[in-house]
């Protein structure tokens, strides 16, 4: 939700800010803006509705300022207009904000700010309040003002009478910073300045950052200086670029074999799961009576696959909860319950709050997270990092498959520790899992076929994904992918459930993507597919059956690699991702930046 960047240093700021914003654009792309100190000590703003390229077009070629802040917006309060775009400027203060100030109405009222406001945003109220309470000392003002805010925020603030300096503070909303040869950087995430530094630190909550050309000073709210804890990433700038692909999404689809290998390799010793490097002791798995998986969106659907696998393999009860619901429920969790939270970004606010709640009930909390050092990773008792590398496209692809792969590792480990599976079975299971990258690569080779068949779908208003068992849980991710980037309404159904209502929606030509890879329900699902085919559906069938030629079953058959039933999910989902991608570009859309969405959801 919203991307923010600040830079002060030796080089000209404008290009650094604009390039940084282009990298952060996946976080929000309604409007964009920058503000910067001019030679005269004045602060200037350029902002516009639209994308970073539209902002670039209105920026001053002669701008040689070396200090500025930039923002790309995902609208929360107030429509998509120029005046609602950030930065906001009130009197002495110009600032950018990611988050929501929940009590902005009261603040505007209580501090008599309404007169000065020209936008509908909570952010402008914050700017007006900083300005109103400004006493010439930025740090003191920030200390006093942030105590008045309810909600989440990451602010970068410039005070007119302190040229060349950027102040920043955050609560919940993410922010990372770095000082390097070029100068001082701050941003929502590292992709904004990875060109300049692979070393960075996570800005601790409620700490004031003061950035100058000489360095960054970090202080707590009592004014004590705190040493930043620097981290280093092992990916480079190319990982955050399209690298010749037309979109990030298709690049990330292609990266899946490598991402899975990176995630699995450090955790497999002698063909058995090993979490030594993650410092997760076997003790953690002992006495586990039940599991609750909590996440949002795609991460939650990865959890659905985890649930189906763990329950059938280990007969341990598993519940999957939507994080935004879980956090307002009375969770049925006790000390032997394991809670697994799943998140690519590690910053999704609902998942983070759900984790905080779970931590009150059990010590057995584990996060499956992609972004190193993120809030969810830090607040969970144990972390299993997925090594997908940066995922830029809003639609999650490689993050999903590595999350699912992590569940396979966990299931195996849990089974061994709880004596639910034999070592020989575990070895065989892990060796099959290790073949996943090769199988996915083979599936990706079918991209042209998928592109061709998807052409039949692009004018559809609705589509269905059906399957049974693992194929059903997986179908939920297929439906989400298609909805979010092609805007075709799609739903997943357990194939056996269709005749209890949904089949009424099947009409001539409606696309049904059916998956039939699970032997124990194969004949049942084939019967269900015949039922929709008989009612005119355009059926795309995914199965392992090489001999399937019966045109009464389907219109198109995609043959998946011949893997054991428990492992077909990795192959089927890649076909789903490709269907969604080609449906999106077939409709002339940008799959990387679907409407109304943003990558990292840090507001409730
Ligand atoms: C995936 O395609 C989505 N854009 C979305 O559902 C996402 O998975 C969800 O918001 C959770 O994000 P997280 O993994 O960063 O927590």
């Amino acid at each position: 939700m919203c991307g923010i960047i600040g830079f002060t240093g030796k080089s000209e700021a404008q290009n650094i800010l604009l390039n940084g914003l282009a990298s952060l654009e996946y976080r929000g792309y309604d409007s964009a803006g920058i503000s910067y100190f001019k030679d005269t000590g004045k602060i200037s703003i350029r902002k516009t509705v639209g994308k970073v390229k539209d902002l670039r077009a209105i920026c001053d070629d002669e701008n040689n300022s070396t200090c500025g802040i930039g923002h790309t917006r995902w609208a929360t309060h107030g429509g998509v207009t120029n005046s609602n775009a950030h930065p906001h400027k009130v009197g002495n203060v110009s600032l950018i904000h990611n988050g929501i100030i929940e009590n902005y109405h009261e603040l505007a009222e209580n501090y008599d700010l309404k007169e000065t406001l020209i936008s509908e945003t909570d952010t402008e109220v914050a700017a007006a309040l900083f300005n109103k309470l400004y006493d010439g000392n930025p740090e003191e003002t920030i200390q006093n003002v942030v105590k008045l805010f309810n909600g989440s925020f990451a602010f970068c603030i410039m005070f007119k009478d302190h040229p060349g300096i950027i102040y920043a503070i955050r609560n919940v909303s993410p922010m990372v910073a770095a000082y390097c040869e070029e100068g001082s950087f701050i941003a929502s995430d590292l992709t904004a300045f990875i060109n300049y530094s692979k070393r960075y630190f996570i800005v601790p909550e409620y700490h004031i950052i003061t950035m100058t050309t000489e360095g960054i000073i970090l202080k707590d709210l009592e004014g004590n200086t705190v040493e930043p804890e620097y981290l280093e990433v092992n990916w480079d700038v190319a990982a955050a670029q399209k690298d010749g692909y037309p979109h990030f999404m298709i690049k990330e689809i292609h990266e899946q074999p490598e991402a899975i290998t990176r995630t699995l390799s450090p955790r497999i010793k002698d063909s058995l799961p090993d979490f030594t490097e993650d410092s997760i002791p076997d003790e953690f798995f002992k006495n586990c009576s039940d599991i609750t998986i909590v996440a949002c969106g795609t991460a939650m659907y990865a959890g659905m696959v985890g649930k189906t696998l763990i329950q059938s393999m280990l007969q341990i009860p598993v519940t999957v909860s939507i994080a935004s619901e879980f956090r307002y429920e009375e969770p049925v969790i006790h000390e032997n319950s394991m809670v697994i939270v799943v998140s690519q970004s590690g910053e999704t606010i609902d998942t983070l709050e759900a984790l905080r709640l779970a931590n009150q009930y059990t010590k057995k909390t584990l996060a499956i997270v992609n972004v190193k050092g993120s809030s969810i990773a830090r607040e969970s008792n144990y972390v299993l990092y997925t090594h997908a590398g940066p995922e830029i496209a809003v639609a999650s692809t490689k993050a999903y498959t590595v999350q699912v792969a992590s569940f396979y590792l966990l299931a195996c480990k849990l089974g061994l520790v709880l004596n639910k599976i034999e070592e020989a079975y575990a070895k065989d299971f892990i060796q099959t899992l290790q073949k996943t990258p090769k199988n996915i690569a083979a599936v990706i080779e079918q991209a042209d076929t998928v592109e061709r068949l998807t052409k039949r779908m692009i004018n559809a208003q609705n589509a269905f994904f059906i399957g049974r068992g693992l194929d059903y849980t997986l179908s939920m991710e297929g439906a989400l992918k298609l909805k979010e980037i092609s805007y075709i309404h799609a739903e997943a159904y357990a194939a056996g459930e269709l005749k209890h209502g949904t089949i009424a929606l099947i009409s001539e030509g409606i696309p049904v993507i059916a998956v039939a890879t699970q032997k124990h329900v194969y004949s049942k699902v084939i019967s269900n597919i015949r039922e929709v085919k008989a009612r005119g559906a355009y059926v795309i069938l995914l199965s392992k059956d090489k001999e399937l030629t019966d045109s009464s079953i389907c219109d198109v058959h995609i043959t998946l690699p011949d893997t054991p039933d428990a492992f077909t999910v990795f192959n089927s989902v890649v076909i789903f991702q490709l269907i969604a991608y080609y449906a999106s570009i077939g409709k002339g859309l940008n799959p990387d930046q679907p409407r109304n969405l943003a990558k990292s959801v840090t507001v409730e």
Side-chain angles (χ1 to χ4, degrees):
M1 308 271 102
C2 299
I4 63 180
I5 179 168
F7 169 75
T8 182
K10 295 174 202 125
S11 313
E12 290 180 4
Q14 183 167 281
N15 258 333
I16 291 177
L17 297 178
L18 291 172
N19 294 341
L21 287 181
S23 306
L24 291 172
E25 203 165 30
Y26 69 96
R27 302 182 71 93
Y29 32 84
D30 295 340
S31 44
I34 56 169
S35 67
Y36 50 89
F37 281 104
K38 294 182 82 162
D39 298 344
T40 54
K42 276 174 66 182
I43 294 176
S44 249
I45 295 190
R46 291 279 186 284
K47 60 181 179 177
T48 182
V49 162
K51 307 256 167 129
V52 176
K53 69 173 173 22
D54 303 306
L55 172 65
R56 211 181 272 274
I58 59 159
C59 280
D60 188 355
D61 290 342
E62 304 297 306
N63 180 355
N64 57 5
S65 169
T66 57
C67 176
I69 54 182
H71 188 269
T72 173
R73 180 170 186 244
W74 186 83
T76 56
H77 292 60
V80 181
T81 63
N82 277 349
S83 53
N84 288 340
H86 302 210
H88 288 280
K89 191 164 118 181
V90 182
N92 259 306
V93 172
S94 176
L95 61 72
I96 50 177
H97 169 218
N98 173 24
I100 292 179
I101 304 299
E102 289 163 5
N103 58 336
Y104 75 112
H105 273 305
E106 295 102 280
L107 291 171
E109 194 73 50
N110 299 347
Y111 288 86
D112 220 4
L113 305 172
K114 283 187 174 162
E115 295 287 286
T116 48
L117 303 177
I118 50 172
S119 78
E120 304 150 298
T121 63
D122 53 333
T123 305
E124 197 191 10
V125 172
L129 192 58
F130 277 113
N131 178 60
K132 180 136 196 170
L133 301 187
Y134 183 50
D135 57 3
N137 181 331
E139 287 183 29
E140 258 176 40
T141 308
I142 293 169
Q143 273 170 14
N144 296 332
V145 173
V146 291
K147 290 177 188 152
L148 304 172
F149 293 144
N150 294 338
S152 58
F153 51 82
F155 285 115
C156 289
I157 314 165
M158 299 194 304
F159 293 86
K160 204 162 71 185
D161 51 352
H162 286 74
I165 306 180
I166 297 168
Y167 297 89
I169 188 157
R170 79 174 190 103
N171 173 42
V172 184
S173 304
M175 203 150 59
V176 296
Y179 178 68
C180 58
E181 215 188 315
E182 216 73 25
S184 301
F185 288 87
I186 193 156
S188 299
D189 68 55
L190 185 61
T191 53
F193 58 81
I194 181 82
N195 263 335
Y196 302 95
S197 179
K198 281 186 174 191
R199 289 186 75 242
Y200 68 103
F201 65 92
I202 291 159
V203 177
E205 288 176 320
Y206 285 107
H207 281 61
I208 299 174
I209 289 262
T210 305
M211 292 168 49
T212 64
T213 321
E214 278 76 46
I216 298 180
I217 296 167
L218 180 65
K219 285 187 187 167
D220 64 21
L221 283 189
E222 278 69 55
N224 305 308
T225 305
V226 176
E227 212 41 58
E229 283 176 33
Y230 270 89
L231 302 166
E232 187 156 352
V233 284
N234 55 4
W235 46 271
D236 59 17
V237 74
Q241 288 174 344
K242 286 188 201 152
D243 206 14
Y245 287 92
H247 300 101
F248 280 110
M249 184 178 174
I250 192 72
K251 176 186 176 230
E252 289 161 5
I253 289 173
H254 277 85
E255 284 172 345
Q256 290 179 106
E258 261 179 61
I260 294 182
T261 304
R262 274 200 305 270
T263 301
L264 294 180
S265 303
R267 282 133 184 167
I268 296 177
K269 304 265 147 58
D270 300 328
S271 297
L272 288 172
D274 183 309
F275 297 123
T276 315
E277 281 187 25
D278 305 287
S279 308
I280 308 175
D282 281 4
E283 206 56 41
F284 175 74
F285 299 96
K286 279 190 185 145
N287 308 322
C288 167
S289 55
D290 58 277
I291 300 173
T292 297
I293 299 169
V294 193
C296 301
T298 288
M300 195 241 313
Y301 291 140
M304 292 282 192
V305 173
K307 169 192 158 108
T308 311
L309 178 81
I310 294 169
Q311 284 194 163
S312 63
M313 188 168 151
L314 310 177
Q315 290 79 50
I316 295 173
V318 184
T319 308
V320 177
S321 285
I322 299 170
S324 56
E325 292 295 314
F326 175 87
R327 53 180 296 201
Y328 295 109
E329 290 166 357
E330 288 290 317
V332 187
I333 293 173
H334 49 82
E335 57 177 355
N336 287 336
S337 306
M338 183 185 291
V339 176
I340 305 179
V341 294
V342 191
S343 176
Q344 187 285 128
S345 62
E347 299 294 347
T348 301
I349 187 74
D350 287 317
T351 311
L352 177 61
E353 291 296 343
L355 168 65
R356 287 175 177 164
L357 181 66
N359 277 336
Q360 294 170 22
Y361 288 79
T362 177
K363 290 199 170 62
K364 288 185 188 293
T365 57
L366 170 74
I368 300 178
V369 172
N370 196 40
V371 177
K372 213 169 161 183
S374 54
S375 305
I376 292 174
R378 280 179 289 124
E379 294 197 27
S380 179
N381 284 320
Y382 293 96
V383 190
L384 195 86
Y385 280 115
T386 52
H387 298 306
E391 191 181 64
I392 309 289
V394 166
S396 192
T397 53
K398 59 178 179 170
Y400 172 86
T401 40
V402 292
Q403 285 160 357
V404 173
S406 305
F407 274 112
Y408 277 62
L409 280 176
L410 283 172
C412 197
K413 183 70 179 176
L414 193 60
L416 284 167
V417 175
L418 298 181
N419 289 322
K420 298 233 176 206
I421 55 171
E422 301 285 335
E423 198 172 290
Y425 174 92
K427 284 195 170 176
D428 189 48
F429 183 89
I430 293 293
Q431 281 160 6
T432 311
L433 185 61
Q434 285 176 300
K435 292 182 187 145
T436 301
K438 205 167 139 236
N439 289 324
I440 289 184
V443 175
I444 293 173
E445 279 176 19
Q446 301 196 54
D448 290 348
T449 314
V450 177
E451 182 175 14
R452 250 177 285 122
L453 70 91
T454 307
K455 290 203 166 74
R456 274 283 308 265
M457 286 179 56
I458 57 178
N459 294 320
Q461 301 287 318
N462 301 290
F464 294 97
F465 287 75
I466 61 169
R468 285 175 178 243
L470 271 176
D471 290 341
Y472 163 55
T473 45
L474 170 79
S475 294
M476 297 177 197
E477 170 60 5
L480 175 64
K481 217 78 310 166
L482 189 64
K483 277 186 275 210
E484 72 178 327
I485 59 167
S486 77
Y487 316 148
I488 297 170
H489 172 242
E491 293 304 333
Y493 286 98
E497 183 64 11
L498 287 174
K499 53 190 168 298
H500 298 288
T502 316
I503 203 161
L505 295 170
I506 301 296
S507 56
E508 196 58 38
I510 199 162
V512 174
I513 297 101
V515 196
T517 68
Q518 305 296 300
K519 200 163 165 220
H520 66 298
V521 284
Y522 184 77
S523 59
K524 305 273 180 221
V525 82
I526 292 293
S527 301
N528 300 140
I529 296 167
R530 284 187 197 282
E531 288 154 15
V532 293
K533 184 78 182 89
R535 286 160 180 84
Y538 170 64
V539 176
I540 300 168
L541 172 62
L542 279 58
S543 89
K544 293 184 278 182
D545 189 347
K546 288 198 187 72
E547 312 296 321
L548 197 112
T549 47
D550 185 350
S551 64
S552 68
I553 303 177
C554 62
D555 296 271
V556 184
H557 178 230
I558 296 179
T559 313
L560 299 171
D562 189 14
T563 46
D565 290 4
F567 295 85
T568 55
V569 287
F570 294 99
N571 306 326
S572 309
V573 81
V574 173
I575 298 290
F576 290 168
Q577 294 165 352
L578 291 168
I579 288 176
Y581 174 74
Y582 287 116
S584 176
I585 57 168
K587 290 179 78 170
L589 303 169
N590 177 357
D592 286 346
Q593 296 181 346
R595 71 183 175 210
N596 305 338
L597 289 171
K599 182 74 180 162
S600 165
V601 185
T602 53
V603 294
E604 286 184 46

